[in-house]
Amino acid sequence: MTLGAIEAGGTKFVCATGNEQGDVFDRVSIPTTTPAETMAAVDDYFTTHPVDAIGIGSFGPIGVNPDTPKYGYITTTPKPGWGDFNFLGHLQAKFDMPLYWTTDVNEAAYGEAEMGIAKDVPNSIYMTIGTGVGAGVIANNRIFNGRTHTELGHMRINRLPGDDFKSACPYHDICLEGLAAGPAVGQRTGKAGKDVAADDPVWAIVADYIAQACVNLTVSFAPDKIILNGGVMKQKQLFPLIHEKFQSYLNGYEEVPPLAEYIVPAGLGDNSGVVGGLLLAKLALTEA
Amino acid sequence: MTLGAIEAGGTKFVCATGNEQGDVFDRVSIPTTTPAETMAAVDDYFTTHPVDAIGIGSFGPIGVNPDTPKYGYITTTPKPGWGDFNFLGHLQAKFDMPLYWTTDVNEAAYGEAEMGIAKDVPNSIYMTIGTGVGAGVIANNRIFNGRTHTELGHMRINRLPGDDFKSACPYHDICLEGLAAGPAVGQRTGKAGKDVAADDPVWAIVADYIAQACVNLTVSFAPDKIILNGGVMKQKQLFPLIHEKFQSYLNGYEEVPPLAEYIVPAGLGDNSGVVGGLLLAKLALTEA
Ligand SMILES: Nc1ncnc2c1ncn2[C@@H]1O[C@H](COP(=O)(O)OP(=O)(O)O)[C@@H](O)[C@H]1O
Ligand SMILES: Nc1ncnc2c1ncn2[C@@H]1O[C@H](COP(=O)(O)OP(=O)(O)O)[C@@H](O)[C@H]1O
Ligand SMILES: [Zn+2]
Ligand SMILES: [Zn+2]
């Protein structure tokens, strides 16, 4: 059996083939231009690389609730051409096989939960802190959705005294994404995140806000692990700072796993999404 | 078939019998004194009122994870005698029948989700704002648990400018329970909540903090409904204030149901817990 994965990002799509163990046989990267152009390349890929099922994780927001008319769509993205695009419908028309449709972060979360750093625990949260903040929640080994997918990047956090940085989120004066994602780091320092020194004071602010978010995730979802990934988390010095602040904010209210095993980097690195896609394809086949 | 329910609170236990439709046949209230005394009365009740299964919702924190040694226990409560009490084990030894064990708020959440205000939707959150803040999450018609139950009362929220009230939570300088539950209202005003005038300025503060919590619940769990209950929510004027603040904090970031149907009072009033218990007993029987 050969499985397929699509990791559909705002900059590039990755299409891959592999097996039920999450081994990747082949992969290709396709620039995200117009739906017509990008999807033609996706269709080509899976025509020349036949598979039995495809797991799809897409940038969004997307419709993930099968009871709503926009299920399978990318909904309100500002990305030209992609708003109101029936992504799943397009694939269903071309490929008569089980398809699993979810968000890019849920796909990565599932990869980490099944084969990555959270493979031994049933409950985990995967949060990527990059251009935006996205998160996928795995509860009892399954992707968690409510009425729609989570939007955890827009959780409210508390500004540190004296932090009067204007939020980079157009909606919220106070939210994790607006105060601590890549663009906020860029605007706070005047440099790209990767060029900011490891001991720059901005990282203490970023770590504090991420730690606050981790406290909220803890009291909300009670995960076994919180996995932090994305461009900003390439700054590995953030982990100990986050652990320290998390400890002080939670303040012993409830027992959590040892922090070095609780708030952790991804185990599959940049492969979380593709591996997740393959395993979601397997899930779609099993449940078909 | 006769079903049983226990709503085990820190002040009183309610034991009841009823049917699968959530109709209550009989109920009794037992003061929460020592485990020996209170549990003897519970045992008596279900000996004289025989049932086929019992749904139990208990004050806590409790062990809800079957993979842990403290499953079925009340764990770290300061309530004398009840810490480390094996509640479920006690009942299992007396009653050879299916038992469903969860928190008091999950039990009430389940009652509301099945027979109350959320009966037509699969995803809801029940939050009680009383002596403390407790919440139960229903996702896809089931009680949500992670590694343990949620502790949503300790979610961090943002203090309003000028609000330097010392948090009533011994753990957190900033959390919903510490700043907005009944004891905080009492300390802020010098009066019992029920004696504070409906137009007292304290309610604007309380409503703001509850609205912030509702924003976090929205971006976290994407429920179909958020149900607010408990002593503090007897102040019905809080609802419109919460709706207004919620709207301004979410700021159109994502679509939510009309607020008057989204953030709502409980449909079963003080019966949520008992009805939930009966229906959890039914669930335990079905799955036994
Ligand atoms: N080494 C780094 N240190 C800090 N920030 C980084 C680093 N690399 C990338 N970033 C920032 O992360 C963001 C990109 O995040 P990334 O997760 O790579 O992609 P995206 O979120 O767009 O999918 C940018 O804002 C970038 O400045
Ligand atoms: N009508 C009311 N208005 C405001 N606060 C109230 C009212 N009734 C009770 N309270 C407050 O709610 C708290 C009790 O909450 P309740 O939900 O009744 O019980 P508990 O949380 O202890 O189970 C107390 O702090 C009390 O002062
Ligand atoms: Zn935001
Ligand atoms: Zn607290």
Side-chain angles (χ1 to χ4, degrees):
Chain A
M1 190 190 339
T2 306
L3 300 171
I6 303 175
E7 191 183 1
T11 314
K12 64 174 201 290
F13 277 39
V14 177
C15 293
T17 59
N19 67 16
E20 306 101 289
Q21 282 78 48
D23 302 316
V24 178
F25 299 156
D26 183 78
R27 75 160 78 203
V28 63
S29 176
I30 299 165
T32 311
T33 58
T34 62
E37 199 171 63
T38 304
M39 295 309 294
V42 169
D43 297 346
D44 270 3
Y45 181 80
F46 288 111
T47 306
T48 53
H49 297 75
V51 293
D52 298 298
I54 309 176
I56 307 129
S58 176
F59 71 103
I62 68 174
V64 291
N65 184 337
D67 301 333
T68 56
K70 296 295 175 187
Y71 178 67
Y73 284 63
I74 295 180
T75 55
T76 56
T77 178
K79 227 184 142 51
W82 291 91
D84 216 33
F85 173 62
N86 186 354
F87 193 145
L88 182 63
H90 172 98
L91 292 174
Q92 280 167 334
K94 303 273 172 181
F95 301 100
D96 182 21
M97 60 181 73
L99 303 173
Y100 194 107
W101 166 250
T102 193
T103 64
D104 48 2
V105 278
N106 280 339
E107 183 184 46
Y110 195 71
E112 288 294 332
E114 290 288 305
M115 297 274 169
I117 191 95
K119 72 176 185 311
D120 295 328
V121 293
N123 309 294
S124 57
I125 299 177
Y126 172 93
M127 186 152 77
T128 172
I129 304 165
T131 305
V133 174
V137 175
I138 305 295
N140 202 10
N141 297 305
R142 297 296 299 238
I143 291 173
F144 175 88
N145 285 312
R147 173 176 40 80
T148 179
H149 53 77
T150 67
E151 286 287 355
L152 284 160
H154 299 274
M155 192 193 315
R156 295 171 61 82
I157 41 115
N158 276 274
R159 279 177 185 268
L160 287 168
D163 181 18
D164 53 10
F165 171 72
K166 187 176 171 316
S167 171
C169 172
Y171 294 93
H172 306 124
D173 164 44
I174 289 170
C175 73
L176 182 63
E177 179 168 308
L179 297 183
V185 172
Q187 290 166 35
R188 284 171 181 281
T189 61
K191 293 182 204 164
K194 69 173 172 23
D195 300 325
V196 178
D199 61 356
D200 191 286
V202 76
W203 301 123
I205 300 175
V206 167
D208 190 288
Y209 294 163
I210 296 171
Q212 293 190 36
C214 290
V215 168
N216 281 348
L217 294 178
T218 297
V219 299
S220 302
F221 293 102
D224 296 299
K225 273 191 203 298
I226 298 173
I227 305 162
L228 301 177
N229 206 0
V232 168
M233 295 312 302
K234 293 196 170 140
Q235 302 286 332
K236 291 300 172 217
Q237 77 281 9
L238 286 172
F239 282 93
L241 297 174
I242 293 168
H243 292 159
E244 190 189 323
K245 282 295 173 181
F246 176 88
Q247 179 110 355
S248 108
Y249 287 130
L250 188 63
N251 197 24
Y253 174 72
E254 60 170 289
E255 234 181 289
V256 292
L259 295 189
E261 296 160 31
Y262 182 53
I263 303 176
V264 295
L268 304 171
D270 293 336
N271 268 330
S272 320
V274 164
V275 171
L278 296 175
L279 299 172
L280 288 172
K282 176 178 153 195
L283 189 60
L285 261 181
T286 319
E287 299 188 346
Chain B
M1 187 187 347
T2 307
L3 300 170
I6 303 175
E7 191 182 3
T11 314
K12 64 175 200 291
F13 277 39
V14 177
C15 294
T17 58
N19 67 14
E20 307 101 289
Q21 282 78 47
D23 302 318
V24 179
F25 299 156
D26 182 80
R27 74 161 79 204
V28 62
S29 176
I30 299 163
T32 311
T33 58
T34 63
E37 201 171 60
T38 304
M39 295 309 294
V42 170
D43 298 346
D44 270 1
Y45 181 79
F46 288 111
T47 305
T48 53
H49 298 74
V51 293
D52 297 299
I54 309 176
I56 308 128
S58 175
F59 72 103
I62 68 174
V64 290
N65 184 337
D67 301 335
T68 57
K70 295 295 173 187
Y71 177 67
Y73 284 64
I74 295 181
T75 57
T76 56
T77 177
K79 222 180 147 53
W82 292 90
D84 217 34
F85 172 62
N86 187 355
F87 193 145
L88 182 63
H90 172 97
L91 292 175
Q92 281 167 334
K94 303 274 171 182
F95 301 99
D96 182 21
M97 61 181 71
L99 302 172
Y100 194 108
W101 166 251
T102 194
T103 64
D104 48 2
V105 278
N106 280 339
E107 183 184 46
Y110 195 70
E112 288 293 334
E114 291 288 306
M115 297 275 168
I117 189 95
K119 72 176 185 311
D120 294 329
V121 293
N123 309 293
S124 57
I125 298 176
Y126 171 92
M127 187 152 77
T128 171
I129 304 165
T131 306
V133 175
V137 176
I138 305 293
N140 202 9
N141 298 305
R142 297 297 300 239
I143 291 173
F144 176 89
N145 285 312
R147 172 177 42 79
T148 180
H149 53 77
T150 67
E151 285 288 355
L152 284 161
H154 299 274
M155 192 193 315
R156 294 170 61 80
I157 38 114
N158 276 273
R159 278 178 187 269
L160 287 169
D163 180 18
D164 53 9
F165 171 73
K166 189 175 171 317
S167 170
C169 172
Y171 294 94
H172 306 123
D173 165 43
I174 289 171
C175 71
L176 182 62
E177 178 167 310
L179 297 183
V185 172
Q187 290 166 37
R188 285 172 180 280
T189 61
K191 293 182 204 162
K194 70 174 170 25
D195 300 326
V196 179
D199 61 355
D200 192 286
V202 76
W203 301 123
I205 301 175
V206 168
D208 190 288
Y209 294 163
I210 296 171
Q212 293 190 37
C214 290
V215 168
N216 281 348
L217 295 178
T218 297
V219 299
S220 300
F221 292 102
D224 295 298
K225 273 190 203 297
I226 297 173
I227 304 160
L228 301 177
N229 206 0
V232 169
M233 295 312 302
K234 293 197 171 138
Q235 302 285 332
K236 292 298 172 219
Q237 76 282 11
L238 286 171
F239 282 94
L241 296 173
I242 293 169
H243 292 159
E244 188 190 323
K245 282 296 175 179
F246 176 88
Q247 179 110 352
S248 108
Y249 286 131
L250 187 63
N251 197 22
Y253 174 72
E254 60 170 291
E255 233 181 288
V256 291
L259 296 189
E261 296 160 31
Y262 183 53
I263 301 175
V264 294
L268 305 172
D270 292 338
N271 267 331
S272 321
V274 163
V275 171
L278 296 176
L279 299 173
L280 288 172
K282 175 178 155 196
L283 189 61
L285 261 181
T286 320
E287 298 189 346

